[in-house]
Amino acid sequence: MTTKSKPVNEPGKVETIDQVVIRFAGDSGDGMQLTGDRFTDESALSGNDLSTLPNFPAEIRAPAGSLAGVSAFQIHISDHEILTPGDAPNVLVAMNPAALKANVNDLPAAGTLVINVDSFDERALAKAGYETDPLKDGSLSAFRVYEIPMTSLTLEACRPTGAKPRDAERSKNFFALGLLSWLYHRPIIDTERWIVRRYNRVPIVAEANALAFRAGYNFGETAEIFESSYDIAPAEHLPGTYTNVTGNVALAWGLLAASHLAKLPLFLGSYPITPASDILHELSKHKNFGVRTLQAEDEIAGIGAALGAAFGGALGVTTTSGPGIDLKAETVGLAVSLELPLLIVDIQRGGPSTGLPTKTEQSDLLHAMFGRHGEAPVPIVAAKTPSHCFYAAIEAARIALKYRTPVYLLSDGYLANGSEPWRLPDVESLPDISVEFATEPNATGTDGEPTFWPFTRDPDTLARPWAIPGTPGLEHRIGGLEKQDGIGTVSYEPANHEVMVRARAAKIAGIAKNLPAAEAEDPDGDARVLLLGWGSTYAAITAGAKRVRKAGKSVAQLHLVHLNPFPPNLGEVLRSYEVILVPEGNLGHLTRLVRSDFLVDAKVLSKVEGSPFRVGEIERAILQEIERLESGAAVPDASGQVDARGRGPAVGGSSAEEAAL
Amino acid sequence: MTDVAVPLTTRKDWASDQEVRWCPGCGDYSILSAVQLLLPELGVQRENTVFISGIGCAARFPYYMNTYGIHSIHGRAPAIATGLAVTRPDLDVWVVTGDGDSLSIGGNHLVHALRRNVKLTILMFNNQIYGLTKGQYSPTSEVGKITKSTPFGSLDTPFNPVSLALGAEATFVARTHDLDRKHMIETFRRAHDHPGASFVEVYQNCNVFNDGAFEAINRKENRADMLIPLEHGQPIRYGADGEHGVASDGQGGLRLVEVADVGEEALVVHDEHRVNPSLAFALSRLATGPHEPTPIGVFRAVERPDYGSLVDHQLLEARARGGAGDLSSLLRSGATWNYD
Ligand SMILES: Cc1ncc(C[n+]2csc(CCOP(=O)(O)OP(=O)(O)O)c2C)c(N)n1
Ligand code: SF4
Ligand SMILES: [Mg+2]
């Protein structure tokens, strides 16, 4: 946080800063996500660029006041373009001792702590595992600490509503929001209106929240405990209309857009699972778009129903996360065999098994790639930012429809719940992804009559015709048994099986022909190190590369949206760099794929801590690689792969050994 | 109404050109014939008819029908058919499944399709055995069944498929058997015409791995005394001269009686439309297996809006309320701001 002081009028001093990272932390019952969401909207309206990172526990209501129950929301706001929610907060708002304890280690020295002192009683301290009161034992001396009795001030403010203290006390998150809104000059009128709208059914709650919000704001202004308040100028933006969007909402809207662009009704078959459920929730709201959502009895039924809908000519989609993906595997294989369009949306989370259900990870790539029996290739598209989920959904649908294939669309918990301002596209500019159903016979039967062969192929795309029930003369049966090339009847003939296996593989591989060529971004033009990424690491990788370039070093960056097939020239691009560093939220999925596909010595930079990469972690790793190159070590180091904290190796295969061969 | 000539079809129109590959003598052949004989009578069109199956001998059925069809994966046909039926209410969607397919691996999907009342006609070929995998016991096999996987006899209590379907809130439940073409055709017709999910258990002989499983009740000479035909509105009686019947057991269940002993007035009158499924359930419990007098026919046929219609109704309501969806306004439905 850099600051420029500027003389200002009474009552308070105002400083202008270029950016700040704020983390709201409290008990999961304290409404921290809501507080963060409101602060985000206020910041968007202020014209700042922003990026957010919610972080909540897996339990709905972990014991109040416990470390397990701490819920946090981090927001990065600035007057210039930013990509990530920030490596560490500058300001930590801690609503109770557990929130302080769980988060204070992330706060750098001289950071600001805003603490609700009312919650620091002996019991709460003990629950959080504090033996002594950190407010008194000097352990917070490195920080600027503001102790504010938020609970009692909230109770006082809410007294006119007549709400019982136990109820009024719940408005304290709005007090905190009001206070921070004052501190960073957020517009408050929208939040006040929002409170009225949101709580219109319970006027007493609306009133209490509004009073607490206003009290927090006024407290900042009048209590004079803050040396100054802060102004953050609007960021420069491309002209246009913007909205703030989370990845899951963008993805749901992308599916609606895809249905519109394909001129096909949308069908979603899904079983609730974190962090994918919000897509089901969002789509279920928009029935006026003609979308049918089925909350199925399990994930297998969800994908089965979507496949059935696809057979009938709908855009069939299923959404889930790790455990659900495992269950769907057999049906994905069936879809490969039937050659019907289908979208499988995987919002990845920490695994194996139930793993870290609310935390992000990128560890399903190899499952999407290979997680089926038999030769069953499936195209994979990965979203890279929250708003990109919209476009990725359209692209995944385009491929599915054009090539009559199931397509994996990968997102993750970080993208799903994180948000960013999105410059809205002109709907007219979105691609037409519509395809034609077969309507006429395409072959002649043994009786000399025109007939329909469901497994003939388009010479260009190798896609088979999509003939939907209701079309006279095109009746046909398809199934999971191997089909005779062309005519599509059951065939156990060995040579035909090989033909079909190869045809299905060639069809998916051939998608690459129409993909944009991979182009590494290398503004200096002389980079020796390439950062190769996919999915949600985009923000941290891009920001890390920027920092390195700012420091006068060159680094190139390439971020893949298409993971199967890869862009047609990927091997060529990769081979033109001396070092390929692959930051990914797993132990080396993309790394393995490019190593085996292109025989390049890609190294993984792993992180599997349930949280996205910090920019600093990426920056450090790049600098290390550059240093090694500059120090004359032409051959990559023998230590192999490292994780974000410098631990390694993560993927087998010593590069030194290979170089020696 | 103008008279539109419905093109007439014949049995031949409904048969595909694929060679039927069930074992010679398999009960599946007569079920296939019954369906192919019925369809021309229904006045439906091939292009609007879809057969969806899972895996098993029974599940080969769609290949033999000259309609649209999917031979899918083990147990999942009701789920796949649900997606099709909900998005394409204009189609007649049939599900053909086996006792293993529908009650073992696919039990979950079956009960939920019935509960939701998806517009599907589900024909379950019950041969009390796993045919395709060469003769392991199935969830309908009787206790003590000796098979390759149970050389010392099976231990687990079988499902009673009719009871199960009734417990799953099915609106149409019936039973028929592969030796009575006429009864099959009439039962399938009723199932097809039912406006919701219909479930038909078809006793089917697997002459290779479970030959004669239903002989005790459905051989011509046994039928009169062993099959209890259910007819709506009629006292339930059976026997060559209707000398046997079904009466209340005074404890909420039913019992088999001699009409001469109890008098005609004591016989239970079948009411397939009764909303409360207790009577239908009690009927399903009369026989513990196909070796005792067993009711056949329609156990239950009640009306409840089908799932697809309810879904469509919500779509129409949403349109009426909010107008057809507009993508551009959707993207602008949250807080927005402009930069020039
Ligand atoms: C996922 C899966 N598990 C197991 C099988 C093997 N399998 C094929 S059919 C079958 C049982 C079929 O029994 P049933 O449904 O009664 O049909 P039938 O052959 O008796 O008509 C089994 C276990 C399979 N195809 N797929
Ligand atoms: S194994 Fe049994 S059920 Fe299967 S085809 Fe042969 S006789 Fe019919
Ligand atoms: Mg069977």
Side-chain angles (χ1 to χ4, degrees), chain A residues 21-106:
Chain A
V21 178
I22 301 167
R23 187 183 294 178
F24 294 94
D27 196 65
S28 37
D30 283 346
M32 290 297 98
Q33 300 306 321
L34 189 118
T35 310
D37 281 340
R38 281 318 309 160
F39 197 82
T40 303
D41 274 6
E42 293 176 358
S43 298
L45 292 172
S46 304
N48 298 129
D49 199 10
L50 63 89
S51 174
T52 68
L53 176 64
N55 186 355
F56 37 84
E59 289 74 24
I60 301 303
R61 284 284 143 82
S66 69
L67 286 173
V70 173
S71 171
F73 187 102
Q74 182 161 311
I75 174 168
H76 186 180
I77 48 180
S78 90
D79 70 357
H80 55 276
E81 195 199 354
I82 48 165
L83 296 148
T84 74
D87 285 4
N90 307 112
V91 180
L92 173 63
V93 180
M95 300 302 286
N96 69 2
L100 177 67
K101 181 140 193 208
N103 290 284
V104 73
N105 288 341
D106 293 337

Side-chain angles (χ1 to χ4, degrees), chain A residues 44 47 237 239-244 253 256-257 267 286-292 294-298 300-301 304-305 308-309 311-312 330-331 334 390 421 424-425 427 467-472 474-481 489-490 492, chain B residues 16 18 21 46-48 50 60 62-63 65-73 76 79-80 82-84 86-88 91 108-109 112 116 307 311-312 314-315 318-319 322-328 330-340:
Chain A
H237 293 273
T241 301
Y242 286 73
T243 195
N244 195 54
W253 291 359
L256 289 171
F267 177 88
H286 300 298
K287 297 203 188 295
N288 58 330
F289 281 80
V291 50
R292 292 176 174 83
L294 169 73
Q295 181 176 315
E297 56 271 23
D298 61 24
I300 302 173
F311 182 65
E330 189 192 11
T331 314
L334 175 65
F390 178 83
L424 293 172
V427 170
I468 63 169
T471 319
L474 270 51
E475 294 82 7
H476 63 281
R477 279 65 55 196
I478 54 179
L481 286 171
T489 48
V490 176
Y492 303 114
Chain B
S16 77
Q18 295 300 292
R21 296 237 189 122
R46 291 183 311 158
E47 67 267 23
N48 296 329
V50 185
R60 296 297 172 92
Y63 287 124
M65 297 299 300
N66 191 5
T67 63
Y68 284 90
I70 304 180
H71 173 229
S72 75
I73 44 178
R76 317 303 173 194
I80 294 169
T82 293
L84 181 63
V86 169
T87 46
R88 293 290 305 273
L91 302 175
N108 198 25
H109 307 308
H112 287 279
R116 289 194 184 100
Y307 181 72
V311 169
D312 279 347
Q314 277 196 341
L315 297 198
R319 287 239 165 96
D326 176 70
L327 197 54
S328 192
L330 173 70
L331 302 188
R332 286 155 182 80
S333 58
T336 60
W337 62 97
N338 290 297
Y339 297 112
D340 320 301

Side-chain angles (χ1 to χ4, degrees), chain A residues 330, chain B residues 55-58 74 98-101 105 127 129-133 204:
Chain A
E330 189 192 11
Chain B
I55 296 289
C57 295
H74 202 15
D99 43 318
D101 195 55
I105 191 165
N127 52 16
I129 200 83
Y130 283 5
L132 192 71
T133 45
Q204 173 244 325

Side-chain angles (χ1 to χ4, degrees), chain A residues 282-614:
Chain A
E282 180 66 24
L283 286 177
S284 301
K285 287 199 279 198
H286 300 298
K287 297 203 188 295
N288 58 330
F289 281 80
V291 50
R292 292 176 174 83
T293 56
L294 169 73
Q295 181 176 315
E297 56 271 23
D298 61 24
E299 281 86 350
I300 302 173
I303 186 173
L307 184 60
F311 182 65
L315 176 60
V317 182
T318 190
T319 52
T320 190
S321 187
I325 284 298
D326 293 351
L327 289 176
K328 291 178 195 295
E330 189 192 11
T331 314
V332 179
L334 175 65
V336 169
S337 179
L338 297 184
E339 301 193 46
L340 281 172
L342 180 68
L343 292 192
I344 305 117
V345 180
D346 178 9
I347 313 297
Q348 300 161 95
R349 64 189 219 184
S353 191
T354 311
L356 300 178
T358 60
K359 309 283 190 238
T360 196
E361 209 162 275
Q362 290 182 290
S363 44
D364 296 352
L365 175 56
L366 291 181
H367 191 308
M369 188 74 192
F370 300 119
R372 292 163 294 285
H373 67 281
E375 295 289 350
V378 173
I380 305 171
V381 172
K384 55 184 186 177
T385 71
S387 66
H388 184 249
C389 288
F390 178 83
Y391 303 101
I394 297 173
E395 173 63 359
R398 179 191 74 82
I399 294 175
L401 294 168
K402 180 167 176 182
Y403 298 92
R404 324 278 203 251
T405 175
V407 174
Y408 258 102
L409 171 56
L410 298 180
S411 170
D412 61 33
Y414 171 41
L415 296 181
N417 295 315
S419 68
E420 65 178 356
W422 176 29
R423 184 161 156 261
L424 293 172
D426 179 359
V427 170
E428 301 302 316
S429 72
L430 298 172
D432 179 357
I433 59 170
S434 61
V435 295
E436 309 257 310
F437 294 130
T439 53
E440 300 296 331
N442 60 0
T444 308
T446 42
D447 54 2
E449 293 292 313
T451 184
F452 179 67
W453 285 16
F455 281 81
T456 56
R457 295 186 186 277
D458 178 285
D460 176 38
T461 60
L462 300 182
R464 74 175 190 88
W466 188 8
I468 63 169
T471 319
L474 270 51
E475 294 82 7
H476 63 281
R477 279 65 55 196
I478 54 179
L481 286 171
E482 186 58 281
K483 289 151 287 279
Q484 178 69 41
D485 185 21
I487 188 166
T489 48
V490 176
S491 165
Y492 303 114
E493 197 205 321
N496 174 73
H497 178 56
E498 172 134 6
V499 166
M500 292 300 277
V501 165
R502 291 191 184 279
R504 287 186 289 259
K507 177 178 83 168
I508 302 308
I511 295 170
K513 280 192 296 191
N514 291 313
L515 295 181
E519 232 178 298
E521 211 187 291
D522 178 12
D524 302 309
D526 59 352
R528 300 165 72 186
V529 175
L530 172 72
L531 288 167
L532 178 68
W534 68 279
S536 67
T537 50
Y538 177 75
I541 294 179
T542 309
K546 270 193 182 163
R547 278 200 205 166
V548 168
R549 291 180 195 133
K550 234 184 192 165
K553 307 271 183 195
S554 299
V555 65
Q557 181 192 356
L558 174 59
H559 210 81
L560 298 176
V561 171
H562 297 96
L563 293 146
N564 192 35
F566 287 130
N569 62 330
L570 182 63
E572 214 176 299
V573 174
L574 296 182
R575 283 185 212 105
S576 61
Y577 292 89
E578 288 164 65
V579 173
I580 302 162
L581 185 64
V582 190
E584 46 183 339
N586 57 54
L587 295 187
H589 289 214
L590 177 61
T591 312
R592 275 174 205 271
L593 291 178
V594 296
R595 285 175 76 97
S596 71
D597 275 23
F598 305 115
L599 292 178
V600 291
D601 188 18
K603 289 186 188 194
V604 69
L605 176 70
S606 276
K607 180 162 184 175
V608 282
E609 296 178 347
S611 52
F613 278 99
R614 294 198 170 92

Side-chain angles (χ1 to χ4, degrees), chain A residues 132-147:
Chain A
T132 57
D133 186 347
L135 300 177
K136 298 194 180 110
D137 65 11
S139 58
L140 303 178
S141 58
F143 310 116
R144 262 196 283 180
V145 183
Y146 298 97
E147 297 182 21

